[in-house]
Amino acid sequence: MLRKLSLAVLIPVCMLALYLVLVTAEYFYESELVRNELADRQVNQIKQQLLRMQTIVQSAQALQDVERIEQEVSLATLDMNVMVYILLDANSRIRFANHTVWRDSNAIEVIDGYDVVRHHAVVQSGQASVSINPDRLSIQAYYPVDAQYPGATELIYLESDLAPLVAKASTELQQRFMRVWGLGALLLIGFTFVLYYLLIRPFKMLSESAKHVGTPEFSTQVPWSASEVLSLQTTLQQVHEHLGRAVKQLNDSEQRWLFAVEGSRNGIWDWNIRSGEVFLSDRWKEMIGYQPDELEEVFQTWETRLHPDDKQAVLDCLQEYVSGKTKEFESVHRLQHRDGHYVWVFDRGMLVDWDHLGRPTRMIGIHVDVSESERNHAAIAELVK
């Protein structure tokens, strides 16, 4: 399929396909990179926010200043990306929350995404845990707080929604890539036109010229192009000149050969053994009374005109030569004339071509009219008798 496409189609299609693959791969790579950077930035902000909240809660609990904690939690609700912001005691009871309906409830029952096992692990280790949940597309943070009296807050749990930020970043990335893709597409189209005029168009012109090599219609008027194309143009011109000289020499040789054959008054035959086609010269046909366009040029034309008394011997002689049993094929036999009588001919041929297995594929030969010689021979034989 690809072999049938021209360079004018194949090269632009390949370039466009490669460009789309590269742009698409770069887009997905950039998209993943933007998400990771966005998540890291949000994680750092959350860590700073929770570190500050940890300090405030610990100091407020020491002073039993509940209103200070409630104010800080209320301020956290101003961030539209904060989904859950709660302070928990050791029994997972919600002491403070960004939604008042959750207060004094058990977080296990009302907070989707809260993990009590992780809660206790963070409190016991004293190390905060901040991670990204890809299934919920959110950041979940467990931050320990020193509980200074029974029932006091010991953990800050926060879940921040990443979806709006990711969607906004993806939209900006798409817009940027659309601009880049459009500019790149214009550059690609311009490069394709340059490539067409400098490379593809000259190649098409040389391809058309190559069809007329050795003929008067041949022309290599190719516009300015790359050095390789100009080198090919020069080579094609040289081939045309060499072929023209070779054709002239061949025509001259053919004319001399035809003159020699016609001067000798001999008939010429050329047999394609595989196909059974036989070239019969005009003189060959003339010997048996036919015009140049009256006989079908096949093996049966000669075979069916053999005299019945000579036919088997002639065919056996031919078969022995073709099979390699004899070194030459020569035969004097009779061929039926158009008027019905028979003409004596001397037939001589030789193999000139073989296939890769050594089997003969072509044979050429001559016919000589020896009717007069045969009549003289018969007369002498009669006188002797």
Side-chain angles (χ1 to χ4, degrees):
M1 180 67 179
L2 293 179
R3 291 183 298 178
K4 297 181 179 180
L5 293 177
S6 66
L7 289 177
V9 176
L10 189 60
I11 290 181
V13 168
C14 291
M15 291 176 61
L16 179 61
L18 179 61
Y19 177 71
L20 291 177
V21 169
L22 292 176
V23 169
T24 303
E26 178 66 17
Y27 172 77
F28 283 109
Y29 173 77
E30 288 283 341
S31 178
E32 187 66 23
L33 190 63
V34 166
R35 286 191 178 193
N36 293 335
E37 292 178 352
L38 180 63
D40 292 340
R41 186 165 59 249
Q42 286 296 109
V43 167
N44 291 330
Q45 291 179 0
I46 288 173
K47 285 182 178 180
Q48 294 176 4
Q49 179 182 355
L50 292 181
L51 179 61
R52 176 177 174 276
M53 190 64 177
Q54 180 190 44
T55 304
I56 292 174
V57 170
Q58 289 180 165
S59 63
Q61 286 189 144
L63 300 174
Q64 294 186 354
D65 187 358
V66 177
E67 293 182 359
R68 176 70 186 279
I69 299 176
E70 290 180 346
Q71 290 175 358
E72 291 297 327
V73 173
S74 298
L75 289 175
T77 60
L78 298 178
D79 187 351
M80 300 301 296
N81 295 324
V82 174
M83 300 165 60
V84 179
Y85 199 124
I86 57 177
L87 280 65
L88 308 170
D89 61 15
N91 296 320
S92 298
R93 187 167 64 93
I94 300 174
R95 302 299 304 273
F96 302 95
N98 58 328
H99 297 290
T100 56
V101 294
W102 291 342
R103 187 171 296 183
D104 295 327
S105 301
N106 192 305
I108 300 175
E109 299 174 353
V110 299
I111 304 301
D112 185 22
Y114 166 75
D115 186 353
V116 66
V117 176
R118 194 171 173 187
H119 169 170
H120 294 304
V122 167
V123 171
Q124 291 176 3
S125 65
Q127 300 293 326
S129 172
V130 181
S131 62
I132 299 173
N133 189 329
D135 296 332
R136 296 172 60 84
L137 200 60
S138 65
I139 299 176
Q140 293 176 317
Y142 295 78
Y143 225 85
V145 177
D146 291 335
Q148 300 179 7
Y149 54 86
T153 298
E154 69 171 17
L155 180 80
I156 303 173
Y157 173 76
L158 181 146
E159 184 173 8
S160 178
D161 189 8
L162 280 177
L165 298 176
V166 171
K168 181 180 178 181
S170 297
T171 301
E172 294 176 352
L173 182 64
Q174 289 175 4
Q175 293 174 351
R176 179 162 62 88
F177 262 84
M178 287 298 293
R179 291 193 295 269
V180 172
W181 186 89
L183 179 60
L186 292 177
L187 293 176
L188 182 62
I189 292 173
F191 177 74
T192 302
F193 276 109
V194 173
L195 184 66
Y196 175 81
Y197 279 100
L198 292 184
L199 186 63
I200 298 176
R201 182 166 171 259
F203 269 126
K204 290 180 65 177
M205 297 177 68
L206 288 178
S207 177
E208 290 297 324
S209 298
K211 298 177 181 179
H212 303 287
V213 170
T215 66
E217 291 80 11
F218 175 77
S219 174
T220 55
Q221 297 299 323
V222 178
W224 182 88
S225 183
S227 60
E228 291 80 4
V229 177
L230 297 178
S231 176
L232 181 59
Q233 175 186 0
T234 303
T235 302
L236 196 59
Q237 181 66 39
Q238 293 173 352
V239 170
H240 170 70
E241 294 172 358
H242 290 324
L243 183 60
R245 289 194 294 268
V247 169
K248 185 178 184 305
Q249 293 174 358
L250 181 62
N251 289 335
D252 293 342
S253 298
E254 183 180 3
Q255 293 298 324
R256 288 191 291 268
W257 178 77
L258 289 175
F259 178 77
V261 170
E262 292 297 329
S264 65
R265 302 297 294 167
N266 295 330
I268 303 297
W269 53 270
D270 188 337
W271 176 30
N272 187 322
I273 299 176
R274 284 184 174 178
S275 64
E277 296 178 356
V278 181
F279 165 75
L280 303 173
S281 68
D282 296 346
R283 173 57 183 160
W284 193 98
K285 298 175 183 178
E286 182 186 347
M287 288 183 187
I288 56 176
Y290 289 92
Q291 296 297 321
D293 57 348
E294 288 187 331
L295 287 178
E296 187 179 3
E297 295 187 340
V298 293
F299 181 79
Q300 289 75 15
T301 299
W302 170 75
E303 182 184 13
T304 56
R305 283 169 174 75
L306 289 170
H307 192 283
D309 295 340
D310 303 336
K311 184 175 184 177
Q312 192 59 47
V314 176
L315 294 178
D316 291 342
C317 180
L318 177 62
Q319 181 60 36
E320 289 178 356
Y321 174 67
V322 172
S323 61
K325 295 180 180 179
T326 58
K327 295 184 178 181
E328 61 182 12
F329 170 69
E330 288 186 358
S331 173
V332 177
H333 51 266
R334 287 163 288 184
L335 288 179
Q336 188 177 26
H337 194 274
R338 183 175 187 174
D339 296 337
H341 65 276
Y342 285 87
V343 177
W344 283 96
V345 296
F346 170 71
D347 202 349
R348 184 177 185 180
M350 64 182 296
L351 294 170
V352 295
D353 197 12
W354 295 262
D355 62 13
H356 65 284
L357 298 177
R359 296 174 298 193
T361 59
R362 185 183 175 198
M363 186 174 178
I364 61 175
I366 61 171
H367 268 187
V368 182
D369 189 346
V370 295
S371 299
E372 190 64 29
S373 299
E374 287 298 320
R375 284 194 291 270
N376 294 337
H377 178 74
I380 293 173
E382 183 65 24
L383 288 175
V384 172
K385 182 178 177 180

